[in-house]
Every structure is written in C-alpha cells, then in structure tokens.
Amino acid sequence: MTTIEARRSAHQFDLGPARALVCRECGNEVPLAAEFACSECFGPLEVGYDFGKITRAEIEAGPRSIWRYRNLLPVPSDVQEHPNTDPGLTRLVKADRLAAALGVRELWVKDDTGNPTHSFKDRVVAVALAAARQLGFTVLACPSTGNLANAVAAAAARAGWESVVLIPSSLERAKVLTTAVYDGALIAVDGNYDDVNRLATELAADHEDWAFVNVNVRPYYAEGSKTLGYEVAEQLGWRLPQQIVVPVASGSQLTKVDKAFRELGELDLVEPTPYRVFGAQATGCSPVAAAFQAGIDVIQPVKPDTIARSLAIGAPADGPYVLDTVRRTNGSVEHVSDEEVVDAIRLLARTEGIFAETAGGVTVATAKKLIETGQLDPDAETVLLITGDGLKTLDAVEDKIGPRATVPPSSAAVREALGL
Ligand SMILES: *Cc1c(COP(=O)(O)O)cnc(C)c1O
Ligand SMILES: [Zn+2]
C-alpha cells in the first residue's frame, strides 16, 4: 500500500450530505472516492445525497459565501472558512436598462465577476478543494482555459497547498499573469485546451496526490456550480426564475444550475415552479448548439476558434446532459458571433455599468438572439449568468473602445472635444 492509499483507507471521509457517487448513465453507485468514471460503463459519476431537513432560516443565518449552502454540498459540515476570500453571494442585479434595450419585461443579471478571482470558477474550486482535503490529496491541479487557472492558483495559495496549472500557451496575457502571480507551478502547453485536458488525465493517473479539480475530483468540483442556482433562488426571495441563460463550455455549470433548482423544489425550499434553461455558446465553438439545432444526441467535437476562450472547449464532457436539460425544460442552445459578443459586452457595460468578459458577452448576445428569434419569452422573468470579469479579456475590446479625444491640458480643448 502506498502512503496515500494508507492515508485514505485510514481516514473516514466527511463529505457532509454526500452519500455515494452515482453513474449518470447506468445508475451504478460506488462509495465516495476520487473517481470520476463508472467502472461498469465509463459514464460520468455524479454526487448523490441523503439530505436531512434543511430550512431557509438556517441557510440565511449561514456565512455570506457559498458555505451557507454547505449542507447541500459534498463538503464537511465544519468546512474550513476564509471569511473574506470565500466565493459566492455575488450580486443579483435588477437590470432594468438592459431589459429595456433588449425588449424584455423583467431581467436580472447574476454578476459573478465579484468573486475573489473574478469568475464563477472560484465556486467550483472551493468545493473541489474542500473535498480533496477530505480525500487525502495534497496538491491542487487543473487543465484550464484561463479562469480555472486563476481560481486554482489562488485557492491553493490561500490554503498553503502547492498547485500545478496547465494552460494552452495561446491564453490571454491577463489570464496568464493573474495566475502566475500566485506563484504555483504554471505550465503553458503548445496546444489547445483539449490537448491540455488530455495531458491532465495522463498526469492524474501517475500522481496520486494531485487533485486535478476538473478531472479526478470532477464529481465534487461540478457540484460547486449548484451554488449559482441556490443563490439566484434565494436572492429572488426563495423562488425560481422562469427563464435562465447560462454560458456553456464543458456544460457542467448549466446542468448543475438545473440540479440546484430541482433540489430546492424537492426540499421544499422553493415552490417547484416551471423554468426554462437556455445554453449560450460562441459560434466559433458551438458543438452543443449544433447538436441541439440538428436535433441529435451526439456532440461532434470541433476545433475552437473564438475570442470567448473561457468557453472554448471543443469536446464538452457534459454536452449530452446540456441537451437533456434544455429539452426537458423547453429551452434551447444558441450561438453568437465574436462580433455580437463584443457588441454585447459594450451593451451590458453601457446599460448596467458591469464589465463582463467574453463569456458574459456570449450570454448577453445569446439572450438578445433568443428574444429576436422568439425562443425566449420577453414577458417571462429572466436571469442572465455573467460568469467572468472584462478586465481579463481586454484584448477583445481594445480595438473598439478608447478615449473620445486626446487634448492638451486646457478646458477649452475639453469643451471643443465635447462639441460644446
Ligand atoms: C468555465 C467557464 C464557464 C463554463 O463552464 P462549464 O461548467 O465548463 O460549462 C462559463 N463562464 C466562464 C467565465 C468560465 O470561465
Ligand atoms: Zn455506469
């Protein structure tokens, strides 16, 4: 037995309400462990729970972070908190000016730029780290399209863990620097995300104390996305929205927001009212939208070519489950061009004062297209998930925006430039 096996077998995992890992394809159940594929059919494993009685009051009295939902997550009930740097409980903004511009009645923007490393990835990483600690890992690792790299490097630094982060060498400069600053092991790979992901799977097999958050501890990591759904419902006053638009990379987030809404209904925390889930992709990487629109179940992998690099996963692991979710909830998956993405980033900034990264542009542009094509009901209450910050993708807008004029230091010159 190796040391890590000994450590794991001696240890009673405390993963809170998590009961087992359940295969999404064949329903096979296995004990909680650092596994991600079903030994019977190779289907993806997902966390199954035995929830106790959970009340709104006890959630509301909890920490002002994702840990207020700890009894709904695969983490110990005494999960280690870092009060000022824990993710979650980001703003839900009533977006009246954007609503007017898009021609919808009631619109909300869930602004996840407010997380510690400015994207929703802090949520999934926090849950992965808490579970990985229970499972006996000592190094936090990931393959990343950018935001995950930031989140893993920062969370590891905060926890005093080592990190190993693999990124495509073509990544935005800002995302490279905002990972490197945390001083973990950052490796740029000459290849695209799908190459980097394959390397991570190989390395995870050889390094048994490395928790690749989105590979060997993916079932736990993925559950972190549920907190977006919980928060939206709580912030709406404990009810579900009628429509929600979610960006799709691997597709995990979209399926988990849906899982969160279903759990809240089953636990009597909200009225189980109907809702529709819509997926948003960039045209240059839209394999899920293509399958949805062709009416087929198989996702044909693509080679990504889009400015929305955080969504550029050409072979999305959860693509088939995205299709199931949008079909079951009477939603759809749409895609938008890079030009529409940039216009939408500017529209959101101009109307709501929120600067989103390209993934946010994809969500807003997709919402616009869904309205224009009659897929999204303009009279139904709608939530848009804005999952990352524009400061990390400045290159997407830098050719389109800038000062109106550059003038000498005189008030007359300023007035002239303003046409006064
Ligand atoms: C990773 C990411 C997503 C989508 O994540 P998946 O769960 O893989 O679909 C959305 N937005 C941003 C900004 C991301 O970094
Ligand atoms: Zn199976």
Side-chain angles (χ1 to χ4, degrees), residues 23-28 38-43 45:
C23 175
R24 271 165 147 182
E25 287 299 318
C26 74
N28 179 35
C38 175
S39 53
E40 302 288 318
C41 75
F42 299 107
L45 295 173

Side-chain angles (χ1 to χ4, degrees), residues 404 411-420:
R404 205 175 280 184
S411 51
V414 173
R415 274 195 291 274
E416 192 191 324
L418 293 171
L420 300 174

Side-chain angles (χ1 to χ4, degrees), residues 333-354:
V333 190
E334 258 302 352
H335 61 91
V336 289
S337 70
D338 284 358
E339 209 176 308
E340 291 171 293
V341 171
V342 173
D343 289 347
I345 289 172
R346 300 178 64 190
L347 175 66
L348 178 65
R350 185 161 73 233
T351 54
E352 298 297 336
I354 295 171

Side-chain angles (χ1 to χ4, degrees), residues 3 87 129 141 143 149 151 166 172 181 195 217 280 328 345 347 376 394 398 400:
T3 23
L129 173 61
L166 308 176
E172 295 96 328
V181 73
D195 297 318
V217 293
R328 173 167 46 75
I345 289 172
L347 175 66
L376 200 126
L394 285 174
E398 71 188 349
K400 298 279 177 66

